[in-house]
Amino acid sequence: MEKNYYLKGLDCANCAAKIERGVSKLKGVEAANVDFMNQKLSVTCKEENINQVEQATIAKVVQLEPDVEVLPFAAVKTHGHEKHEGCQDCHNHESQNAESQKKPQPLSFVKDNWNLLRILLTALALIALLIWRPTGVTAAICYIMVYLVIGGDIVKQALANLFQGELFDENFLMMVATVGALAIGEYPEAVAVMFLYQIGEFLQDYAVDRSRKNIKELMDVRPDIARVLIEGKEEIVAPEQVAVGSTLLVNPGEKVPLDGILKDGHSSLDTSALTGESLPKEVTVGDEVLSGTINQEGRLVIETTRNYGESTVSKILELVENASSQKAPAEKFITKFARYYTPVVVLLAVLLVAIPTLFFGGNFQEWLYRGLTFLVISCPCALVISVPLSFFAGIGGASKAGVLIKGSNHLETLAKVDTVVFDKTGTLTEGKFGVDEVSGPLGKEKILAISASLEQYSSHPIAQSVLNAYGEKPLAVVTEVKEVAGHGITGVIESQKAAIGNQKLLQSLNIALPETKAVGTVLYLAVAGEYAGQLVINDQIKADAKETIRKLGQNGVKTTVMLTGDNATVAQAVAQKLGLSRFFAGLLPEDKVHHVEELTKEAKGKVAFVGDGINDAPVLVTADVGVAMGGLGSDAAIEAADVVIMNDQPVKLVQAMKISRKTLKIVKQNIIFALAVKSFVMILGTFGIASMALAVFADVGVTLLAVLNALRCLRVK
Ligand code: ADP
Ligand code: MG
């Protein structure tokens, strides 16, 4: 089982890695994962060990990071039910938590302000000491006192960690560097280093916290309240408490809290939070209304069709909240790198002191100082912090544009795509077929009636189109309905076998078909083992399909392929119009899987498959990255895909790819920049040019710049 915790006050990415390592080594723990951006620790263990593991986990976290508070994850989020609807325990937890959040928390208040206060005090003290210029023992006493105020907690933490075997953590490094400086009489230097380090920590916490909040706010489509009509009276309740079939009221300017059907009212909905689509969507009585959209005009009366947990908004939130748990290879690499980076730099520092003094008669004091400068540079924080932040910002930016990316790993894969494979119906085309022609021995009326009766059981876009053409007339009852993916449907109507589908379906039933010259997708109808008629249907190519293919080409995608279960004539026409590199027609879902496998072998880069989610779930899973259309409403798509395009516009894929490339570029920039500055300061330190304080200053600067740079991932044109 998996248990989640909220790590309150977790603000250093390196500490996150440390906690992850520490907890995963605990007895009974099968896996541990820390999601730095959401401050979430997930621990997997056997059900029977949970109590023991829980205790050990909390103890371990507190031991490693005393500033971090371990709380139950679900209780912290505003409406954060972790999939137990109506669970009283959760509810209690929530209200307790809401109360405790309202009260000012004296401890953390003092702690936050103490940090600021002592930074100010130290600044004043440093200025005073520089003017006064005490010497000898007086100087030592004064500086050590200031040192203890500004860095006492770090020394304490470092000593505690030393006994845990956490040798190379940043507290330890800072302690060694500054105590070393004190030992060689560099008092002002030691205090200055600690002072700058604390300022850096403070600013970094602030920056990370702010970014985290900004990104989260951006993605937050969470409704706060639901107005429910109970016995004619309007009551305000939490969205989680609304049952299916309740009557909701939504005032202008409010968020729709649950999915439902519009019963009364008329309005345009702002769907931009869900789809990134700026044009409002008109709704009238009878239309489906999705949660997370904002009512712009009239007062709406909605009958709910799903509870909160099943509603669009909470599904999206769940995806977004879990997205940064799935770490990208770049992220894993950098945490691993940081583990080796620090010891290597420490070793260099030791060599830098030992070699010149032992073999070349160098001045010990001077070389020790240079070595200590190295220690300051060996903190990996700038490297570690900006990577998850960049990915998180990238996911946030994409979600703002209406593209949900289910994990940092998928974001990275998306950046490396050079082959894009499309499904035709519903992806490149609208999937809304017009019925152009109905003909055959049975007569138009009957052909349509039987076809529609069969299609009422299918969720394929074709089915809906046939039903639309038939209209509101009564449908026949069909028994033994069977939908054959990529073929069509069979069933029994009035004790006669009937089938509708493509050539393949009728061939498999051994029914002879007449020649047809029709242009379009042809549906053949058979009744009682005989050909009964055909429907010629035509689909519209999506308005932005051509632009998508062109832009993909401009953005480094070498091959674009279309796979379809439709006939070759239609496929060829579409492929030509859109300028696709290749197409394959007449495919069954399993053939599509096979083609994607082949293309994956051929391609240099990664292969993306874009489908509408209806009967292509296996293909979505096979591709390196599966992109689904029709996030709104289509559960299958949300489940199987790695990336979901919320408003069905294929051109959004281009945007998502741009965001992913930009994110990866920024990650690389940050890594290179941080390493460059660090190596530069190291070289200066070796030659005694850079002071220790300058080294800290550079380190803080790099971290802050990296954080700011990471936030650029949010912005997309
Ligand atoms: P695509 O690959 O274009 O998305 P599918 O694999 O979903 O298409 O379907 C392939 C073909 O199978 C359709 O073009 C149609 O001829 C037939 N078919 C599938 N489902 C149905 C259905 N519900 N009714 C009639 N024909 C269907
Ligand atoms: Mg399809």
Side-chain angles (χ1 to χ4, degrees):
M1 69 177 293
E2 193 186 271
K3 181 113 182 145
N4 294 323
Y5 303 94
Y6 176 63
L7 302 179
K8 193 170 169 220
L10 177 73
D11 37 31
C12 137
N14 207 31
C15 317
K18 210 157 63 183
I19 292 174
E20 189 173 286
R21 272 201 310 275
V23 173
S24 57
K25 277 189 214 137
L26 291 175
K27 215 176 127 219
V29 173
E30 279 162 12
N33 182 55
V34 175
D35 170 359
F36 174 63
M37 292 316 302
N38 287 310
Q39 297 162 281
K40 176 172 158 189
L41 163 67
S42 316
V43 181
T44 321
C45 67
K46 290 221 172 68
E47 186 103 41
E48 65 262 28
N49 293 338
I50 184 67
N51 286 332
Q52 171 209 338
V53 164
E54 173 140 43
Q55 274 178 9
T57 301
I58 295 175
K60 189 79 197 170
V61 174
V62 172
Q63 187 186 68
L64 289 173
E65 291 296 322
D67 287 345
V68 170
E69 207 179 322
V70 189
L71 299 170
F73 190 73
V76 191
K77 298 189 281 175
T78 346
H79 296 305
H81 259 258
E82 290 246 294
K83 286 192 208 114
H84 10 107
E85 255 66 48
C87 153
Q88 197 53 39
D89 194 38
C90 265
H91 183 65
N92 289 342
H93 239 86
E94 250 170 51
S95 43
Q96 265 172 24
N97 198 66
E99 272 164 35
S100 67
Q101 270 181 358
K102 261 179 242 148
K103 275 188 244 148
Q105 289 168 321
L107 245 160
S108 90
F109 179 79
V110 171
K111 216 157 77 186
D112 289 351
N113 288 280
W114 165 235
N115 256 333
L116 204 58
L117 187 70
R118 69 172 177 180
I119 286 175
L120 288 176
L121 283 177
T122 310
L124 289 177
L126 271 177
I127 294 170
L129 286 169
L130 286 178
I131 297 170
W132 178 29
R133 290 185 178 281
T135 48
V137 185
T138 332
I141 293 173
C142 290
Y143 278 112
I144 287 173
M145 264 164 54
V146 182
Y147 176 82
L148 286 178
V149 170
I150 191 77
D153 56 335
I154 295 202
V155 174
K156 194 173 133 214
Q157 182 59 39
L159 290 174
N161 283 354
L162 205 54
F163 294 108
Q164 308 304 325
E166 278 292 337
L167 203 59
F168 294 121
D169 94 328
E170 55 280 349
N171 296 313
F172 176 74
L173 296 168
M174 289 314 294
M175 178 186 78
V176 174
T178 50
V179 169
L182 288 176
I184 54 177
E186 298 281 354
Y187 303 123
E189 187 87 22
V191 176
V193 166
M194 218 25 129
F195 176 62
L196 285 172
Y197 178 74
Q198 293 283 25
I199 292 183
E201 289 287 288
F202 185 80
L203 289 177
Q204 178 191 308
D205 288 3
Y206 180 77
V208 170
D209 216 47
R210 273 304 290 267
S211 332
R212 203 154 20 196
K213 273 204 194 105
N214 282 348
I215 301 170
K216 279 194 179 166
E217 249 162 47
L218 198 71
M219 294 192 279
D220 203 2
V221 284
R222 200 188 306 274
D224 306 316
I225 54 148
R227 291 175 199 280
V228 190
L229 211 57
I230 300 170
E231 291 164 5
K233 261 186 31 207
E234 182 182 318
E235 280 187 36
I236 295 180
V237 299
E240 292 90 335
Q241 293 170 334
V242 181
V244 175
S246 308
T247 308
L248 283 182
L249 300 171
V250 183
N251 290 338
E254 286 181 351
K255 249 180 230 161
V256 176
L258 294 97
D259 294 358
I261 299 286
L262 190 58
K263 286 288 162 191
D264 191 27
H266 167 97
S267 174
S268 54
L269 297 177
D270 174 359
T271 63
S272 59
L274 296 183
T275 61
E277 173 66 62
S278 50
L279 282 181
K281 188 181 162 210
E282 298 291 322
V283 283
T284 50
V285 173
D287 284 348
E288 189 184 23
V289 182
L290 294 178
S291 51
T293 56
I294 298 167
N295 176 17
Q296 291 190 315
E297 286 156 19
R299 184 178 164 99
L300 300 179
V301 181
I302 297 166
E303 186 182 311
T304 60
T305 49
R306 300 199 181 107
N307 61 26
Y308 181 74
E310 301 285 299
S311 280
T312 310
V313 70
S314 78
K315 286 210 176 123
I316 290 176
L317 276 170
E318 205 174 300
L319 287 185
V320 168
E321 267 159 17
N322 289 326
S324 51
S325 312
Q326 296 189 43
K327 289 179 187 157
E331 219 170 328
K332 286 189 187 147
F333 166 78
I334 204 71
T335 2
K336 229 183 174 165
F337 177 82
R339 284 205 71 186
Y340 296 104
Y341 170 80
T342 308
V344 166
V345 179
V346 171
L347 183 72
L348 286 178
V350 172
L351 293 178
L352 189 67
V353 184
I355 294 176
T357 47
L358 290 182
F359 302 111
F360 300 99
N363 178 320
F364 176 71
Q365 199 139 325
E366 191 187 320
W367 287 100
L368 180 64
Y369 181 84
R370 294 183 190 183
L372 294 176
T373 312
F374 262 53
L375 288 188
V376 171
I377 307 169
S378 64
C379 281
C381 235
L383 288 173
V384 187
I385 210 159
S386 69
V387 181
L389 191 65
S390 305
F391 278 107
F392 195 54
I395 291 173
S399 113
K400 199 62 200 157
V403 183
L404 291 182
I405 299 175
K406 289 214 270 184
S408 306
N409 49 348
H410 304 308
L411 189 81
E412 182 162 346
T413 314
L414 207 54
K416 295 177 179 160
V417 163
D418 75 345
T419 304
V420 179
V421 185
F422 292 93
D423 178 48
K424 179 181 75 80
T425 315
T427 305
L428 289 172
T429 66
E430 295 282 357
K432 288 182 195 122
F433 295 83
V435 178
D436 289 351
E437 196 191 306
V438 183
S439 59
L442 211 59
K444 275 187 189 181
E445 280 300 308
K446 269 202 115 169
I447 295 173
L448 253 180
I450 298 175
S451 304
S453 303
L454 285 164
E455 295 289 13
Q456 65 181 309
Y457 300 96
S458 165
S459 60
H460 199 276
I462 288 180
Q464 196 53 51
S465 313
V466 172
L467 282 165
N468 286 347
Y470 179 64
E472 295 280 278
K473 288 163 274 184
L475 294 162
V477 177
V478 187
T479 53
E480 294 171 45
V481 185
K482 228 173 84 192
E483 177 156 16
V484 195
H487 281 101
I489 299 191
T490 63
V492 175
I493 303 181
E494 289 163 5
S495 62
Q496 281 188 317
K497 279 190 180 165
I500 183 163
N502 53 15
Q503 216 166 353
K504 264 193 222 148
L505 177 72
L506 293 240
Q507 262 162 12
S508 71
L509 299 171
N510 286 323
I511 297 165
L513 295 176
E515 283 280 318
T516 176
K517 292 186 293 298
V519 231
T521 306
V522 186
L523 303 182
Y524 296 94
L525 179 70
V527 180
E530 297 263 343
Y531 167 74
Q534 65 185 44
L535 296 92
V536 182
I537 58 176
N538 266 304
D539 199 359
Q540 293 280 319
I541 291 177
K542 280 188 188 167
D544 61 339
K546 191 162 181 176
E547 182 194 350
T548 307
I549 306 298
R550 184 171 51 81
K551 283 192 174 161
L552 283 175
Q554 289 166 354
N555 283 285
V557 172
K558 294 197 192 73
T559 323
T560 46
V561 186
M562 180 176 77
L563 303 181
T564 179
D566 209 346
N567 65 48
T569 332
V570 176
Q572 174 147 31
V574 174
Q576 221 156 35
K577 260 190 207 155
L578 295 181
L580 290 154
S581 334
R582 294 158 84 178
F583 72 88
F584 300 94
L587 303 176
L588 295 176
E590 57 264 35
D591 300 331
K592 294 186 185 174
V593 172
H594 177 71
H595 275 286
V596 168
E597 275 169 0
E598 287 297 308
L599 287 162
T600 314
K601 276 183 215 150
E602 276 171 40
K604 276 213 188 76
K606 300 284 181 187
V607 176
F609 176 78
V610 192
D612 60 358
I614 293 169
N615 76 36
D616 46 22
V619 203
L620 285 171
V621 178
T622 308
D624 294 320
V625 52
V627 183
M629 293 284 158
L632 292 189
S634 161
D635 291 354
I638 293 200
E639 288 295 318
D642 306 317
V643 175
V644 183
I645 295 180
M646 299 302 287
N647 68 351
D648 290 15
Q649 289 181 352
V651 75
K652 283 284 163 74
L653 178 68
V654 181
Q655 208 172 354
M657 282 175 69
K658 277 190 183 162
I659 293 173
S660 64
R661 297 226 168 113
K662 185 170 166 187
T663 305
L664 241 68
K665 204 168 96 191
I666 288 176
V667 165
K668 275 188 202 141
Q669 275 172 4
N670 277 344
I671 294 176
I672 292 171
F673 173 64
L675 285 180
V677 173
K678 277 168 184 274
S679 340
F680 183 62
V681 177
M682 256 189 239
I683 293 169
L684 293 185
T686 311
F687 293 107
I689 303 169
S691 71
M692 216 194 275
L694 178 78
V696 192
F697 188 72
D699 211 49
V700 171
V702 171
T703 309
L704 291 180
L705 282 177
V707 168
L708 286 179
N709 197 22
L711 287 185
R712 288 201 305 131
C713 301
L714 263 180
R715 262 182 302 136
V716 265
K717 273 157 261 143

